[in-house]
Amino acid sequence: METHEPLLADEIPVGHAPIVAAITPDGRHVYVTNFGSSSVSVIDTTTRRVITTIGVTSGPWGVTVAPDGLRAYVACFGTDSVAVIDTTTRTATVSIPGLNKPLGLTVSPDGARLYVASQGGNRVDVISTATDTVIASVPVGTGPRNVAVTPDGTEVYVTEEGANAVAVIDTATHTVIATLPGFLIPRGVATSLDGQRVYVTEYGGNRLAVIDTATHSVVDTITGLPIPFGLAVSHDGLLVYVARDGDDSVSAIDLTKNEIVDTVPGFHAPSWPVVTPDDLDVYVVNNGNETVSVLPTPSGAYPDAGPMSGGTPVDIIGEGLGNTTAVRFGCQPAASFTILNDREILAVSPRLATDVKIDATIGQHTTRTVGRFFYHPDSVLTKITPTSGPLSGGGTLTVTGRGLITTTSVRFGSVAVTPSSVLDDTVTVTVPPAEATGPVPVTVVTRSNSYGRSTFTYVGPPGITSVSPSRGSSAGGDPVLIVGTELASTQSVTIGGAAADFGVLSDTRIAAVTPPAATLGPANVTVTTTGGTATAPGAFVYV
């Protein structure tokens, strides 16, 4: 981890007791709530000046901007309302009542819904942005503070400071579908670009928790963050910035490694960061001296690892890169590179077999190192065990291969699951549930961005419709045909509780040989598959 010297960055004066900031989708303006002066400062990111101050009702706290950039929404704690700001005229046009001490808020990806943490009512209120009215209220635990919605709009994550928990709300039913305990004053919350992870700052635990959205469980924690407050994920999904109130600094965390890669001091009780859409600047609210600082994103290569076969897109951040004429990974030229602006180059790694420096040639003569890149062995998936299972999931699947040590997730179709164990040649993971039977691709995702693929088949529960003949000798040895459904993955057949030799003929038929009878009379026929167990009571009679 690097620690930079105090910043000589722009500090933009704003109102009294600033708390939260939000940036417009075009990156041109930053809206900052001033809790102490009941106003919102609007910063022009081109001039880095406050161009106007908008008065709102008492105690503005959270702020968010609609996806189309036409509206900003402000939670007004003191008046139990949400102020609606027209970003074109930069005036407050509507006040939505019916909240209860609102703090954090977020807008759905389609802009149709606003989710507001009403701390005083221990609930999350849902507002229709078409009618500017509260249309639902979802009870949650004590002290809801901040909210974040997944990129697909299906779930909302709520930090509950009083309950030391995080609640998960299903946006279709407006119900809590999971509650994750074990946090210590959870405060800020943000989702990853792909929706697979949710990040939560623990104000009392000095750490950042990483939640897997597929399993609704904490899968990692990043420590060493004294009194973390707000956070923001970069738009390329590679970094998360955390405001550290405990030591007046901001940390950048590499999301491919879940490691702190940069920490910059020199802030003043920083409360909230926001990242520009081009990921080149971070605007940080300084609650301590009533300013907003502008932090350039840390120089380097993101991601800084990839497969030896090359082909990894690498975002290179630095200064004075606009006149770059060549990019080299070690002694090899990049497969390709594009100059995005004077501070950013997008390059593609070439095929190599060692860890290297990344050099950029500026103009005709000057060459400097702009980062490092680490090559991992290409990942290979050779097999998975088992290859099928029930719709309910829950079993352990083992992936066998090589170069798997950097596995970050295993995908079952579109569902990503965090591994429970990772070795270079084996990875184990809990199979997630599915909605329908049939095959899904299994994809192992590694930090080198290499993929291995196989197929897992979800199997429905078996059924038995007939056994013929239905009578036979107590000495056993009689061939019988078992007809039913979902029988292709049969693992065992018992008749009268004793194991029977069998062979699967099709998904609907099994040929079996009766074992000797323990007693005369009716015997149960039981078939066990990877999808479950079916029993036909008394379906075969020993005589």
Side-chain angles (χ1 to χ4, degrees):
M1 180 191 74
E2 297 182 1
T3 300
H4 285 174
E5 292 301 313
L7 270 182
L8 297 175
D10 290 342
E11 282 193 352
I12 307 164
V14 289
H16 181 47
I19 297 292
V20 178
I23 194 164
T24 54
D26 60 10
R28 294 178 59 187
H29 299 102
V30 174
Y31 286 74
V32 182
T33 56
N34 303 308
F35 185 81
S37 52
S38 297
S39 64
V40 175
S41 297
V42 183
I43 297 172
D44 185 313
T45 57
T46 302
T47 62
R48 295 183 177 177
R49 299 274 192 279
V50 172
I51 57 173
T52 190
T53 299
I54 304 168
V56 293
T57 54
S58 174
W61 192 274
V63 59
T64 189
V65 179
D68 61 10
L70 298 179
R71 281 178 153 196
Y73 300 94
V74 181
C76 296
F77 185 86
T79 55
D80 296 331
S81 64
V82 168
V84 182
I85 293 174
D86 184 321
T87 58
T88 302
T89 62
R90 301 190 188 104
T91 57
T93 58
V94 177
S95 180
I96 305 172
L99 291 305
N100 191 333
K101 304 305 176 190
L103 287 174
L105 74 170
T106 190
V107 64
S108 62
D110 62 3
R113 297 286 184 267
L114 193 66
Y115 300 94
V116 187
S118 276
Q119 189 175 67
N122 295 325
R123 68 182 192 244
V124 170
D125 290 316
V126 185
I127 294 173
S128 167
T129 59
T131 61
D132 291 330
T133 57
V134 176
I135 58 172
S137 292
V138 184
V140 294
T142 306
R145 180 72 176 238
N146 286 297
V147 289
V149 61
T150 53
D152 62 5
T154 60
E155 292 181 343
V156 169
Y157 286 74
V158 188
T159 53
E160 302 173 346
E161 282 192 336
N164 285 321
V166 172
V168 186
I169 295 174
D170 184 323
T171 59
T173 61
H174 295 153
T175 58
V176 173
I177 57 174
T179 299
L180 286 61
F183 295 86
L184 191 55
I185 312 182
R187 182 153 290 186
V189 58
T191 62
S192 65
L193 185 70
D194 58 10
Q196 295 182 32
R197 297 287 186 269
V198 169
Y199 304 97
V200 176
T201 55
E202 294 190 61
Y203 191 79
N206 299 326
R207 63 195 179 195
L208 180 75
V210 184
I211 297 172
D212 186 319
T213 57
T215 61
H216 294 150
S217 62
V218 175
V219 294
D220 203 354
T221 54
I222 297 96
T223 58
L225 299 166
I227 313 183
F229 200 103
L231 74 166
V233 177
S234 62
H235 295 82
D236 58 16
L238 298 175
L239 296 171
V240 62
Y241 297 89
V242 178
R244 299 162 43 142
D245 189 38
D247 63 358
D248 291 333
S249 67
V250 172
S251 280
I253 297 172
D254 185 332
L255 295 182
T256 63
K257 298 179 178 179
N258 285 346
E259 294 177 359
I260 299 173
V261 294
D262 200 21
T263 295
V264 181
F267 297 89
H268 308 273
S271 60
W272 211 267
V274 291
V275 187
T276 56
D278 59 11
D279 289 327
L280 294 181
D281 292 309
V282 183
Y283 283 72
V284 182
V285 177
N286 290 305
N287 182 260
N289 72 345
E290 301 181 345
T291 66
V292 172
S293 292
V294 185
L295 168 67
T297 54
S299 299
Y302 306 97
D304 65 354
M308 290 187 294
S309 56
T312 302
V314 180
D315 200 14
I316 299 170
I317 305 296
E319 296 290 338
L321 302 178
N323 197 31
T324 296
T325 56
V327 175
R328 288 186 296 276
F329 287 64
C331 60
Q332 296 289 331
S336 65
F337 72 93
T338 303
I339 300 171
L340 301 181
N341 50 59
D342 196 52
R343 292 174 53 196
E344 186 176 15
I345 296 173
L346 183 63
V348 177
S349 66
R351 181 178 179 86
L352 280 181
T354 184
D355 301 340
V356 296
K357 296 186 299 180
I358 302 177
D359 295 330
T361 300
I362 313 300
Q364 297 301 315
H365 305 291
T366 304
T367 298
R368 72 170 186 260
T369 298
V370 292
R372 291 197 63 86
F373 192 78
F374 303 92
Y375 280 90
H376 295 309
D378 290 351
S379 301
V380 176
L381 185 158
T382 55
K383 69 174 182 178
I384 61 172
T385 307
T387 58
S388 62
L391 281 170
S392 58
T396 297
L397 181 137
T398 300
V399 178
T400 304
R402 65 178 185 273
L404 304 177
I405 192 64
T406 61
T407 297
T408 57
S409 65
V410 177
R411 289 180 176 269
F412 291 73
S414 61
V415 178
V417 182
T418 300
S420 53
S421 172
V422 176
L423 299 173
D424 192 61
D425 57 353
T426 56
V427 172
T428 59
V429 66
T430 300
V431 179
E435 296 181 355
T437 60
V440 297
V442 175
T443 305
V444 175
V445 183
T446 69
R447 285 179 180 165
S448 64
N449 294 330
S450 182
Y451 299 82
R453 302 182 187 278
S454 191
T455 299
F456 182 85
T457 302
Y458 282 98
V459 180
I464 299 174
T465 55
S466 67
V467 177
S468 61
S470 60
R471 302 169 68 86
S473 169
S474 61
D478 293 323
V480 295
L481 181 66
I482 302 172
V483 178
T485 56
E486 300 284 358
L487 302 177
S489 64
T490 296
Q491 298 173 313
S492 68
V493 175
T494 63
I495 300 177
D501 293 331
F502 71 95
V504 177
L505 303 178
S506 69
D507 195 42
T508 60
R509 302 201 308 167
I510 299 172
V513 178
T514 61
T519 59
L520 296 179
N524 294 344
V525 176
T526 299
V527 173
T528 300
T529 74
T530 56
T533 298
T535 297
F540 187 83
V541 180
Y542 282 106
V543 294

